[in-house]
Structures are given as C-alpha cells and as structure tokens.
Amino acid sequence: MKKISRILSSIFLVMYISYLLNLVFFSTHYGRGYFHRSYNFIPFKTIVEYIFFSHNLNATFVNIAGNILAFVPMGFLTPIAFNRINKFKDIAILSLIATISIEIIQCIIGVGTCDIDDVILNWIGGIIGFHIYIVILKKIKNNPY
C-alpha cells in the first residue's frame, strides 16, 4: 500500500507542479500574456491592501486564498512521495525555496508580480498542506482496519 501511495502521490506531485508552473508563468487568465515588471518588497502591504481597501471580493479571495491554496498540495504530497522529506522543517524550507524561486523568476522574465506577500502566503499554504498530511497520517495509524 505504501508503494502505491508513493507512486500515486509522485504522479499527482508532477501534475501539480506542471499546473502551478503553467499558472504562474503562462496563464493568460491571470495576466501572464504580456511583459511587465512589477514588484513589492514590503511585507504584508498587498495583503493589507486587499483585505482593507479592495472593493473587489473576488480579487481579494483569488489573491489571498489562491496564494495559500496554491501551495497546499506541495506540503501534502511531498512527504508522501519522498520518504526523506517528511518533517515540518523540510516542508517549510522546500516551500520557502520554491516560492522565492517562482517570485524571482517572475521578476526576471517580467510575468506576474514579484511580491513578498506571495512568498508569505505560499509558504503558509505549504505549512497547511503539511499539517493536513500529519492529521491524515495520524488517522491512518490509529485506524484499526
């Protein structure tokens, strides 16, 4: 059963990463169809602006919840797919490196917005995903069947 779950989670992890890369670098739905260089290096600036000053609830949800949800699969699937990457510290570092890499590449190639708040929200998503993994793992271990 462990081998099957590892194989399946590896397949889903590759599919997830492919989708994530398409979304952040190529999706015209989120304004990736043209070159522009935009950045924010002030922590919580964008988050505060969306929560307190945006009149567009959809944009607020997409920006905040979307950035968090975008990294939940990484925190959940990685420890299943890779036995050696199964501790909080591992997922915290992996999520941080992955999201910083994405933001730097976005800035260099001029797609999306390089935003420290995206790093914060994505990192939180990776951590949430890891905690979901832990909860499910405990339930499986405590299940007598």
Side-chain angles (χ1 to χ4, degrees):
M1 183 65 175
K2 266 188 172 182
K3 187 173 182 170
I4 292 171
S5 64
R6 263 198 216 313
I7 291 169
L8 287 175
S9 63
S10 296
I11 291 168
F12 286 128
L13 187 61
V14 168
M15 290 170 50
Y16 154 72
I17 291 171
S18 299
Y19 177 75
L20 181 66
L21 293 176
N22 180 61
L23 189 67
V24 298
F25 295 121
F26 304 108
S27 174
T28 56
H29 185 70
Y30 292 103
R32 309 298 197 260
Y34 59 92
F35 178 87
H36 75 283
R37 189 164 281 126
S38 177
Y39 51 86
N40 167 47
F41 300 118
I42 302 169
F44 303 104
K45 179 184 177 197
T46 307
I47 296 169
V48 168
E49 286 174 359
Y50 272 111
I51 291 173
F52 295 108
F53 302 112
S54 175
H55 299 293
N56 185 338
L57 285 175
N58 186 49
T60 300
F61 179 79
V62 166
N63 189 280
I64 294 175
N67 273 300
I68 291 171
L69 292 173
F71 268 65
V72 169
M74 181 176 290
F76 177 77
L77 293 171
T78 302
I80 300 169
F82 299 101
N83 200 25
R84 290 186 169 154
I85 307 173
N86 63 359
K87 294 181 178 44
F88 175 84
K89 183 176 117 182
D90 300 335
I91 298 303
I93 292 170
L94 177 66
S95 296
L96 190 60
I97 290 170
T99 187
I100 288 172
S101 298
I102 287 171
E103 296 302 314
I104 289 171
I105 293 169
Q106 280 184 317
C107 186
I108 291 169
I109 65 174
V111 297
T113 300
C114 177
D115 193 334
I116 188 67
D117 289 348
D118 289 352
V119 172
I120 293 166
L121 295 169
N122 292 161
W123 183 78
I124 289 169
I127 299 305
I128 290 170
F130 180 73
H131 285 293
I132 293 169
Y133 160 77
I134 293 296
V135 167
I136 291 172
L137 188 65
K138 284 182 180 179
K139 288 200 180 281
I140 290 170
K141 285 184 177 181
N142 291 332
N143 188 351
Y145 300 101

